[in-house]
Amino acid sequence: LAAMGKIDASMLSREQKSFYDKHATMIKGHAKGISTAGSIDDQRKELDMFSKSMYSLLQSFKAADQSIYYQYCPMANDNKGA
């Protein structure tokens, strides 16, 4: 999360900045939710949302010069998947 604060979003278009800001806010919120959750189930829910937002952000901006893999577990969340 500290690295997100170092990203210079001024070079992004208005649409890109809006997308980045939305997902960055969600990522930070879910990270805080993971650390303050009262149960492991709550942590899992936050991690699921954190992962989806992070993956979306990385894919949209082609942020890695290597492949990005999204792990899916069909048994998570009472067999709803995550």
Side-chain angles (χ1 to χ4, degrees):
L1 293 177
M4 290 186 78
K6 296 178 183 179
I7 294 174
D8 181 9
S10 67
M11 297 174 15
L12 302 175
S13 70
R14 181 181 300 164
E15 183 178 291
Q16 288 173 325
K17 185 170 181 342
S18 175
F19 184 87
Y20 171 79
D21 288 344
K22 174 186 169 188
H23 284 278
T25 298
M26 290 174 18
I27 289 166
K28 290 174 187 175
H30 292 304
K32 183 174 182 173
I34 292 167
S35 68
T36 60
S39 71
I40 189 71
D41 289 333
D42 290 341
Q43 284 182 321
R44 287 180 178 141
K45 289 175 189 172
E46 292 289 342
L47 178 61
D48 181 43
M49 297 307 296
F50 174 92
S51 298
K52 287 176 181 174
S53 291
M54 182 64 79
Y55 185 76
S56 180
L57 190 64
L58 292 172
Q59 284 293 98
S60 295
F61 287 101
K62 310 282 188 249
D65 45 345
Q66 297 179 358
S67 296
I68 299 171
Y69 297 95
Y70 187 83
Q71 298 295 317
Y72 179 79
C73 177
M75 297 175 290
N77 295 326
D78 294 322
N79 291 320
K80 295 175 190 167

